[in-house]
Amino acid sequence: MEIHVVKRGESLWRIAQMYNADVNQISLVNQLENPNVLVGGQALVIPELDQEYVVQSGESLWQVANRIGITVEDLVQVNGITDPNLIYVGEMLKLPFFPHNVQPGEYLWSIAQRYGVTINQILQVNNIESPSLIYPGQTLRIPTEAKPIIEVNAYTTQMNESGRQEVLALGRNFTYLSPFMYSYREDGSLTEMQDVQVIEASRANNVLPLLVLTNYSNQTFDSDLGAALLRNTTAQETLITNILSIMREKGYSGLNIDFEYLYPEDRENYNAFLRRVVARLRPEGYSVSTALAPKERADQQGLLYEAHDYSAHGEIVDFVVLMTYEWGWAGGEPWAIAPINKIRDVLDYAVTAIPTNKILMGIPLYGRDWRIPWVQGTIAQTVSPVQAVNRAADYGVDIQYHETYQAPYYRYMDENQQEHEVWFEDARSMQAKYDLIKEYGLRGGSYWVLGNRFPQNWAVLQDNFTIRKL
């Protein structure tokens, strides 16, 4: 897979020629609504013909395998597919091997060294008994290089049929699915959620559903609701019992606790609550994880940060989700949603307090459109990456790329002469985030939030990693 940045005036046909790629495959994997309309500065994913294949309309996995000349089992194994019937138009499949034409003077050891595989791997894939039994002009199958294995969580707020279909379509990219969310009342009872559809969809893709518990009330995270629980051990025991009941009934595999804007004086109470939860849930085989505010130092001030004790969470729970997004928040000034330099600042501190194999780095799947000049009290519109590119096309503006933030952005003037500034994510910005996961040796990533069309991301993810299934 390659990432191409469109120059003004370039056509898809010309771009495909540059990479010896297939126009239809490029259009499908990027889900281009009008392949004849490209935007200057737009990032495109370019599938490599010999190493990747994008599913076309009406194709089954058997048809794809037959077209390529491999087995369905090979495709299932290399792509982590649970159900061979769950493949979708535009989905990019990795191929288990690619061709190499033997040149005069080439030996098997030099070919193996060139592609980073072993001689035995090449012999086995090609059913060759001896390394000496190759000859010029022969086409060898070279095994695809193994990708780093990570875990991936995805939050979803859609509990309807649309949400179910999205989980079915994207589920092979996830280790965990976190339907958002359950809250609680002061007496320890839980709110309700119609989450059965998405839980069933997650199970179809061998994705473990996590029950998300929050201190959310009256359309906001409630500090007082947090205090009421964390200062009352009786209510805590009642709540944990109720959580276990729901998890058993609906088939959840773990608990993800997202308590935000807690009072600083509840820091130790929160740590004690986590220990109590783990003591009850872990013996029954359930995982416990938390979502943490993006702190850059242990003593960072502010209601969002002070009660989140990185070191304690790193010790107590199975893993954490760092909420490394929302710098460009809806009620604030225009900015990248997840500037890479700010994410790095958070990780630099986090890895000193939490084992790297317990950290999932938060990753946004959305962008925002602000009216400018920005006015305090105005709210930006949330847009999907697909909407952001289409909007640039509609208003005839080029997309820029901020090198420090590693994020695309642009400005445009609407029909009412109101100027706007848009920040979003694309294939380049996601590659930068995946590079951070590798650099810091993290457990993986966590998406906020499904429901925003971003087809490029899944191809970039698959090009970088193999997703662990548990």
Side-chain angles (χ1 to χ4, degrees):
M1 188 209 82
E2 302 278 353
I3 297 174
H4 177 80
V5 180
V6 176
K7 296 180 176 64
R8 180 179 278 269
E10 278 188 324
S11 68
L12 196 62
W13 179 82
R14 177 61 185 144
I15 293 168
Q17 274 197 324
M18 289 169 55
Y19 292 92
N20 190 30
D22 182 272
V23 170
N24 188 48
Q25 294 269 294
I26 299 173
S27 181
L28 282 172
V29 77
N30 291 280
Q31 292 186 24
L32 300 178
E33 294 175 9
N34 186 347
N36 296 317
V37 177
L38 299 179
V39 180
Q42 175 182 2
L44 293 175
V45 167
I46 312 295
E48 296 183 69
L49 281 178
D50 290 334
Q51 299 190 36
E52 292 133 357
Y53 182 82
V54 182
V55 179
Q56 302 181 57
S57 178
E59 282 189 321
S60 66
L61 199 63
W62 180 86
Q63 289 171 315
V64 172
N66 193 51
R67 175 193 290 265
I68 299 168
I70 59 178
T71 68
V72 170
E73 290 73 20
D74 283 334
L75 277 178
V76 165
Q77 183 175 7
V78 77
N79 289 282
I81 296 172
T82 303
D83 185 345
N85 295 313
L86 291 178
I87 66 165
Y88 293 83
V89 177
E91 186 172 6
M92 191 178 80
L93 300 173
K94 294 180 291 185
L95 305 186
F97 29 71
F98 56 91
H100 171 82
N101 292 317
V102 179
Q103 302 299 311
E106 276 192 323
Y107 296 95
L108 206 56
W109 69 265
S110 62
I111 296 171
Q113 193 171 42
R114 173 181 174 182
Y115 293 113
V117 298
T118 67
I119 291 175
N120 283 338
Q121 284 177 305
I122 298 177
L123 292 174
Q124 184 176 4
V125 167
N126 291 277
N127 294 316
I128 298 174
E129 294 182 2
S130 170
S132 62
L133 297 178
I134 67 168
Y135 50 87
Q138 181 181 10
T139 299
L140 295 176
R141 288 180 165 184
I142 308 299
T144 302
E145 185 180 2
K147 308 289 186 183
I149 300 172
I150 63 167
E151 293 184 6
V152 173
N153 175 61
Y155 289 98
T156 181
T157 58
Q158 298 187 104
M159 304 301 137
N160 53 17
E161 176 61 18
S162 175
R164 186 183 80 89
Q165 290 293 338
E166 186 175 31
V167 173
L168 286 174
L170 298 177
R172 73 181 180 93
N173 300 294
F174 311 140
T175 311
Y176 311 102
L177 180 78
S178 297
F180 195 83
M181 46 71 190
Y182 284 90
S183 188
Y184 61 88
R185 305 176 187 90
E186 289 191 16
D187 63 358
S189 61
L190 282 166
T191 58
E192 296 180 356
M193 185 165 60
Q194 303 302 316
D195 46 4
V196 173
Q197 285 192 87
V198 294
I199 291 173
E200 290 177 349
S202 72
R203 291 293 186 184
N205 273 302
N206 195 22
V207 176
L208 302 183
L210 304 180
L211 187 152
V212 180
L213 178 71
T214 73
N215 60 318
Y216 202 80
S217 177
N218 298 318
Q219 305 302 308
T220 188
F221 286 93
D222 190 331
S223 307
D224 291 329
L225 183 61
L229 176 71
L230 298 178
R231 301 173 190 181
N232 184 335
T233 56
T234 301
Q236 290 176 34
E237 292 295 344
T238 301
L239 176 59
I240 296 169
T241 297
N242 289 331
I243 289 169
L244 280 166
S245 177
I246 292 291
M247 292 173 76
R248 292 170 187 142
E249 175 191 342
K250 295 190 175 182
Y252 277 104
S253 296
L255 176 67
N256 178 251
I257 301 173
D258 180 11
F259 284 2
E260 301 185 31
Y261 295 98
L262 299 174
Y263 291 121
E265 54 266 35
D266 282 318
R267 177 187 176 106
E268 290 304 324
N269 293 333
Y270 188 19
N271 293 342
F273 172 66
L274 291 177
R275 290 188 175 94
R276 185 169 285 110
V277 169
V278 168
R280 293 277 304 274
L281 267 62
R282 193 171 283 160
E284 298 204 26
Y286 296 113
S287 68
V288 179
S289 57
T290 56
L292 289 175
K295 296 174 68 166
E296 297 178 13
R297 60 185 188 278
D299 61 351
Q300 189 162 338
Q301 296 184 340
L303 190 61
L304 180 63
Y305 308 103
E306 292 180 62
H308 284 188
D309 184 338
Y310 272 39
S311 294
H313 287 241
E315 170 205 338
I316 298 167
V317 301
D318 296 292
F319 62 88
V320 303
V321 172
L322 298 183
M323 294 184 284
T324 40
Y325 35 73
E326 286 293 278
W327 277 274
W329 65 291
E333 297 185 54
W335 196 7
I337 309 301
I340 207 76
N341 58 323
K342 300 302 292 181
I343 298 176
R344 186 179 288 277
D345 288 343
V346 173
L347 291 177
D348 283 343
Y349 164 60
V351 297
T352 68
I354 303 169
T356 55
N357 64 0
K358 286 191 173 187
I359 297 175
L360 297 185
M361 188 185 86
I363 304 170
L365 294 178
Y366 58 95
R368 290 215 165 94
D369 181 328
W370 285 265
R371 287 173 288 175
I372 56 172
W374 180 75
V375 177
Q376 180 75 41
T378 58
I379 302 297
Q381 180 190 12
T382 298
V383 295
S384 73
V386 169
Q387 287 175 310
V389 172
N390 289 345
R391 193 162 294 182
D394 291 342
Y395 288 98
V397 297
D398 287 350
I399 295 168
Q400 311 299 316
Y401 194 76
H402 199 291
E403 292 296 335
T404 301
Y405 302 152
Q406 288 289 299
Y409 70 99
Y410 61 87
R411 290 184 173 184
Y412 72 93
M413 189 79 72
D414 70 16
E415 295 83 352
N416 299 316
Q417 300 306 300
Q418 170 66 57
E419 194 172 11
H420 295 247
E421 185 168 319
V422 180
W423 289 84
F424 63 107
E425 303 291 338
D426 68 5
R428 293 168 292 179
S429 69
M430 300 310 277
Q431 182 61 59
K433 292 173 178 61
Y434 297 144
D435 286 343
L436 277 190
I437 291 175
K438 295 175 189 175
E439 178 184 341
Y440 284 85
L442 305 182
R443 184 186 187 105
S446 176
Y447 294 118
W448 181 267
V449 57
L450 298 184
N452 300 288
R453 280 185 62 208
F454 192 7
Q456 292 182 342
N457 174 61
W458 313 114
V460 178
L461 174 69
Q462 292 152 15
D463 189 61
N464 280 273
F465 301 111
T466 295
I467 310 308
R468 178 176 284 119
K469 297 288 186 176
L470 302 173

